[in-house]
Amino acid sequence: MNTATVGAAVTPAVIETFLTHYLNRKPLAQKPTAHISYDEGIHLIRKFLIYASHHTVEEIQRFTSQWVPHPHWVKVDELKIADEYTTKAAQAVQEQLGHHGIEKVGGKTWWQWRRPGSELAAEWIEMRVDYQERKRTKNPGTRVMLYVHGGAYFFGSVDEHRYQMQRHARKLKARVFARTRYRLAPQFPFPCGLHDCLAAYLYLLTVQDPSHIILAGDSAGGGMVVSMMVILRDRGIPLPAGAILISPWCDLTHSFPSVAGDNPLDYVPPYGFQQKPSASWPPPNSDDMLAIEEGLVQSLSHNDHSKHHPSETDAVQGFHVDTHPNAGTQNANAASRMNGNVPTANTIPGSGRDLSIMIDGQLVEIKDQIQMYASNHLISHPLVSPILQPSLGGLPPLLIQTGGGEMLRDEQIYLAHKAANPTKYPPGDDFLDESPHDHNRNQVNRWKPTDVQLQVWDDLCHVAPTLSFTRPAKYMYRSIAQFGAWALARAQKTEIEILDDDDVSVISKSDSEEDDATAEKEKSGDAGYKAVGKAGDALPPFKDHMIRERVDRHGIIRPLEPESELPGCSLLPSEIGVIKEGPVKKWMTAKREWDTRYASAKRRVQKQRARELAQGYQQFGAGEVPPPSALAGRRKTGADLRERKKERSWGMSLWSLWGSKHDEDAIKLEQEADKAPETTLASAEDGAGARPLHDTKTNQGKLLDKGKKPSNSRSRSRRRTVTDQNQTENQDEVDENTPAADLLTVKNEKPGQPSDNHLAPEFAANGTNPAILLKVPTNEEYDLKRPKADGIAFPFSIAGHNASASMTTLTSEVGIPPTKDLRTKEVMESGVSVNSADIHAAAGTGSSSEEAKVMRENERPADGTVVFGKGKGKENSVPMSSVDSEKVAENGQVVGAERPPLETFVTAASNFPTHSTIA
């Protein structure tokens, strides 16, 4: 897969589109495809994705990550991100997942592993003229956009997306901080990419104030940004000024109606992403592993060189269809529910067994992994599919742009309404009930609504700004700059000067009589016509925490339909996160075609896996079970796992040149103009009706945090004051530039109060906590379940091994850190911190600590024992003499020890302390 082959594949589509555009224009009228540039662009991307699907994952990754030169008028600087930030990011992810979540994801170490020589890196992207101005005025820069690129979590790069990022930098006069090498699936599945992006933000906090930062991402990058902000919110890490989500992919279960439609105006494959089989994709399913293991065991037991030869059916079967299901088979929405001996359909990921669904009276059991980012039992995890978060309240202001013609539009519209009205759009009971003692239910009411500007652009495709050379994209970039300027001005309590380049914009010039007529109607002020605001124009007022807009291809705004008329908002909570017949049928059709076409390739991959299993893989230690697709679990001793050196791609360079052409022409016109470009001011007073930026918690949320010590007010000369961005209980005013180390010192002045910091500490390996060990599963259970042949351990479990990372799901557990360490010696040594669900489980309630203490006193049996869990037998009890009244239990184990001080971080300030000072 190279420039020549890709060019040969897409050129016929380009020529065909050109001819049909002018020979048959009537169907294109009143659509974005009425413009030849948009029509050509969408057909080119569609053809490229179809062509790429007949190549391996590795090939498309190499092609889209090739080096692309940047224009001379753009300044690009690459930097390495130190290991200390990846360590802190890992601690935050572990804290968010909780101990049990770490077990279910397969451990706490494997997803931190990187290829040798592939250090975490990022790029600064800025207009050279803006850089020179900052240097002349000695301005460190107060406008930073951290951008996370898309690509379905498995392809793409900053090189591929740089032409879009430089447009954002030019429009906003900002510096774009781009994640260069966040690790891609399927070799690095969840939570690898999330870990990298979080580390980049933690680094950015040390060189920029949070009020100077806005987050942005497209497609998978948009979903990643939402998950990042949830972790920041829950862990008490300073949030940015705002976030921009461009067609965010936020439901990997494909449970919304628009995914099942035809969507002819989009370029995303309707059946998902199918690729030619390779070592990375698809990973072996349970049947594949049984076939490989049987062949391997037989070979080892007979000491010969016989090999297992799977049949044609074995090689292509990625799902099983029961054509004569037993009577009574129904669509069950409960984990592992059985109706006698009759299995029921399992449409909710995470139940511990294969997904299945009734289609045309037949029970279809899905065996192959569907999404590259996560195994089938993890696609409903709220950090993978953010629409299943208990609450999306308490976040900074959001701009969500969605294309009215894209297949993911319903989930994006739902995401916007869920953030603005958290209590109206909770997850279904099946997901809320995953956490014990109503922990998830408490989170639903914990956070105040998030302010959201939602723009649905008529008939546009997925991530329309990709087609930066088109007229609709021009208006979308304009809205992004307008929102970004307002968010920064509001967070910094100042005014932001923004360039008005409409007079020098090449795309602004009308190219048809229809455009001229629309422009005249706009100028005349006809009722119902309102143009998309230029960067710096006043943001419309929020109503019920939302700005709801529908925008046409000319940038004309009208009100969005009521929620009751939007399919995404009309879906029952019990149907969200549940696999549906329409998307599954599309996937099955494509799966049959690809598996049949590449059956021989799949057999070769199976044989290669069997040989590698016989030789053995490097291990991470007890409790570490990477998912089947993870490269971390397939490391052969002595193998060279370094990434190949980047080569220059002429094809990607031409695409980038096409995407940059408008910016280059605009810059030339600016230089040739007789007067300097006009500027406008974005004011913090715009966007009337928005929630105060740091007033994030509801009264219930404050009650959940009862007992936490509020931060004290601090002031410094020549510093403005803003509300504490660490999401503390009260709303005292503190200096936004106060280092976190100083805040932590102030908060710890009063003895006996817990710390507000949520980053997980590094605990001593040989702690002194006494633990009463009961008969509960430990990490050693993984080793017991891993299949072996003649002493050779396989890297992952097969069907029936419910503790395997590929067979289970997680529950995102958030809450305040306890004042006591609740963990067993084994958990202490793992370095994973406890979460609030364990506290509630021990207390038997989600109430305050004082109420929990009273309940514990009342529930103690008369025989002097403490009973854990639902059972009341002696096997679940321990002597009362071993349990202190202030101690609680985790999984039936009683532990009591003071929680060590939590490690902190430093946000940017002119006088922030050095790391040695913090230490």
Side-chain angles (χ1 to χ4, degrees), residues 226-294:
V226 177
S227 294
M228 284 175 60
M229 290 190 296
V230 169
I231 294 177
L232 299 177
R233 178 198 67 185
D234 295 344
R235 305 274 65 83
I237 302 172
L239 287 160
I244 296 160
L245 312 177
I246 307 169
S247 296
W249 187 18
C250 48
D251 177 24
L252 272 67
T253 67
H254 287 330
S255 60
F256 283 83
S258 60
V259 181
D262 293 333
N263 306 305
L265 297 174
D266 203 7
Y267 56 73
V268 176
Y271 44 75
F273 291 94
Q274 304 285 346
Q275 303 297 140
K276 181 179 178 180
S278 68
S280 297
W281 184 261
N285 59 39
S286 56
D287 288 348
D288 293 332
M289 283 304 302
L290 284 173
I292 293 173
E293 291 169 9
E294 288 172 0

Side-chain angles (χ1 to χ4, degrees), residues 6 33 55 87 115 506 592 724 846 904 906:
V6 172
T33 47
H55 290 75
T87 300
R115 290 177 184 265
V506 177
R592 284 193 184 100
D724 180 14
T904 188
V906 181

Side-chain angles (χ1 to χ4, degrees), residues 768-770 819-822 828 887 895-900:
T768 58
N769 294 4
T819 57
K820 298 284 185 181
D821 197 315
L822 314 176
M828 282 283 293
K887 296 175 183 176
V895 185
E898 292 295 332
R899 186 184 182 101

Side-chain angles (χ1 to χ4, degrees), residues 193-373:
L194 181 61
H195 171 219
D196 289 351
C197 293
L198 191 60
Y201 181 80
L202 293 181
Y203 162 77
L204 197 56
L205 284 180
T206 65
V207 296
Q208 296 289 155
D209 191 89
S211 65
H212 300 165
I213 305 170
I214 54 175
L215 303 183
D218 64 87
S219 191
M224 193 89 78
V225 165
V226 177
S227 294
M228 284 175 60
M229 290 190 296
V230 169
I231 294 177
L232 299 177
R233 178 198 67 185
D234 295 344
R235 305 274 65 83
I237 302 172
L239 287 160
I244 296 160
L245 312 177
I246 307 169
S247 296
W249 187 18
C250 48
D251 177 24
L252 272 67
T253 67
H254 287 330
S255 60
F256 283 83
S258 60
V259 181
D262 293 333
N263 306 305
L265 297 174
D266 203 7
Y267 56 73
V268 176
Y271 44 75
F273 291 94
Q274 304 285 346
Q275 303 297 140
K276 181 179 178 180
S278 68
S280 297
W281 184 261
N285 59 39
S286 56
D287 288 348
D288 293 332
M289 283 304 302
L290 284 173
I292 293 173
E293 291 169 9
E294 288 172 0
L296 179 59
V297 171
Q298 182 181 8
S299 175
L300 292 174
S301 61
H302 290 86
N303 292 322
D304 58 23
H305 299 285
S306 61
K307 299 179 181 178
H308 174 75
H309 295 279
S311 66
E312 186 81 5
T313 303
D314 292 333
V316 302
Q317 188 168 324
F319 52 88
H320 172 71
V321 179
D322 186 352
T323 56
H324 300 289
N326 294 327
T329 301
Q330 297 181 4
N331 183 28
N333 291 335
S336 302
R337 183 181 299 169
M338 301 293 290
N339 182 13
N341 294 323
V342 181
T344 58
N346 174 39
T347 59
I348 296 183
S351 65
R353 56 193 178 98
D354 285 342
L355 290 172
S356 57
I357 187 172
M358 293 296 298
I359 297 179
D360 300 329
Q362 299 176 335
L363 180 64
V364 177
E365 185 179 16
I366 300 173
K367 296 179 178 295
D368 274 4
Q369 185 172 323
I370 301 172
Q371 307 288 7
M372 297 190 198
Y373 185 49

Side-chain angles (χ1 to χ4, degrees), residues 791-852:
I792 300 175
F794 299 113
F796 30 75
S797 298
I798 59 175
H801 297 167
N802 292 336
S804 168
S806 63
M807 292 300 199
T808 53
T809 189
L810 312 176
T811 300
S812 178
E813 310 245 347
V814 298
I816 61 173
T819 57
K820 298 284 185 181
D821 197 315
L822 314 176
R823 301 167 299 163
T824 65
K825 185 175 185 295
E826 289 83 355
V827 179
M828 282 283 293
E829 294 176 349
S830 72
V832 180
S833 56
V834 74
N835 55 53
S836 61
D838 296 318
I839 304 173
H840 298 165
T845 180
S847 307
S848 66
S849 58
E850 196 63 30
E851 295 169 339

